[in-house]
Amino acid sequence: SQKIEQNSEALNIQEGKTATLTCNYTNYSPAYLQWYRQDPGRGPVFLLLIRENEKEKRKERLKVTFDTTLKQSLFHITASQPADSATYLCALLTSNDYKLSFGAGTTVTVRA
Amino acid sequence: KAGVTQTPRYLIKTRGQQVTLSCSPISGHRSVSWYQQTPGQGLQFLFEYFSETQRNKGNFPGRFSGRQFSNSRSEMNVSTLELGDSALYLCASSLAGTSGETQYFGPGTRLLVL
């Protein structure tokens, strides 16, 4: 069966450190992988998209890698700040439909 | 440009009742998708509408239905509510809903079924 797993439910890190989140998938052939941020009581906000033929994408302090051989994406937040505290969701999109399949999310807490 | 709006934001219903939720997409966006979010199952895709037609659907029972109007606004309906339907219902809009396009989510409607 298809499955998307994010490495842990919660991640606590010290301000200034790098947070690394993992998204593993099975029985998918994603054309795209996206990362979203969700704050309590709010809808997800799109952060980054990476295509199957791309290895790495960056946006400011965020970096995403995509390894279709390992069926894994890594999401890095460098120089983390307390304002980065949120739940981060990975989502897969296959090329033949328009629905996103989401992982359960990892809640990141950055301590000052 | 205004974001995606959803009404109502909160709703309390009892088992057996039905409910209608509304979503207004970003101006110019023609694709609207609906998702259910629960602590146990996470975010799950319900259906997607484009140009008033349901283009894709997830694995939910027929009690969950939706429609889209000519102005791209969308509604979803849940009939014969069950306790397990308590969830945050999110809609997301995009220009054409094509693969790789960014989806913009609304704040959600939190439904509690008693």
Side-chain angles (χ1 to χ4, degrees), chain A residues 31-32 34 36 38 40-47 49 51 87 89 93-104, chain B residues 9 33 35 37 42-43 45 48 55-58 88 90 96-108 110:
Chain A
Y32 306 89
Q34 300 182 350
Y36 287 79
Q38 187 173 24
R42 307 186 74 167
V45 174
F46 170 79
L47 295 175
L49 175 150
R51 291 175 170 77
T87 296
L89 304 160
L93 193 70
T94 48
S95 58
N96 60 343
D97 61 31
Y98 308 101
K99 58 179 179 179
L100 285 173
S101 298
F102 283 85
Chain B
R9 292 294 311 279
S33 297
Y35 296 84
Q37 187 173 32
L43 255 167
F45 174 79
E48 186 249 355
R55 190 162 60 175
N56 207 347
K57 70 188 299 290
L88 180 67
L90 293 157
T98 54
S99 290
E101 205 172 64
T102 300
Q103 291 195 13
Y104 296 86
F105 282 83
R110 186 162 295 281

Side-chain angles (χ1 to χ4, degrees), chain B residues 42-105:
Chain B
L43 255 167
Q44 293 185 288
F45 174 79
L46 281 157
F47 29 67
E48 186 249 355
Y49 285 87
F50 178 79
S51 291
E52 302 179 65
T53 301
Q54 187 181 88
R55 190 162 60 175
N56 207 347
K57 70 188 299 290
N59 299 319
F60 278 82
R63 299 185 297 108
F64 293 81
S65 62
R67 59 178 175 167
Q68 186 180 35
F69 302 95
S70 58
N71 61 357
S72 295
R73 191 177 69 84
S74 178
E75 289 181 347
M76 70 162 280
N77 184 277
V78 187
S79 62
T80 319
L81 283 166
E82 301 176 359
L83 295 179
D85 296 333
S86 295
L88 180 67
Y89 289 89
L90 293 157
C91 82
S93 77
S94 61
L95 280 168
T98 54
S99 290
E101 205 172 64
T102 300
Q103 291 195 13
Y104 296 86
F105 282 83

Side-chain angles (χ1 to χ4, degrees), chain A residues 52-92:
Chain A
E52 60 177 339
N53 60 351
E54 296 176 318
K55 297 294 185 186
E56 184 179 298
K57 237 358 176 359
R58 291 174 184 263
K59 179 183 175 182
E60 298 172 353
R61 296 183 294 108
L62 308 179
K63 184 178 87 170
V64 173
T65 62
F66 194 11
D67 189 326
T68 54
T69 302
L70 292 178
K71 298 186 184 300
Q72 181 182 78
S73 174
L74 299 179
F75 177 79
H76 306 271
I77 307 172
T78 59
S80 59
Q81 304 167 1
D84 295 326
S85 299
T87 296
Y88 293 85
L89 304 160
C90 74
L92 305 182

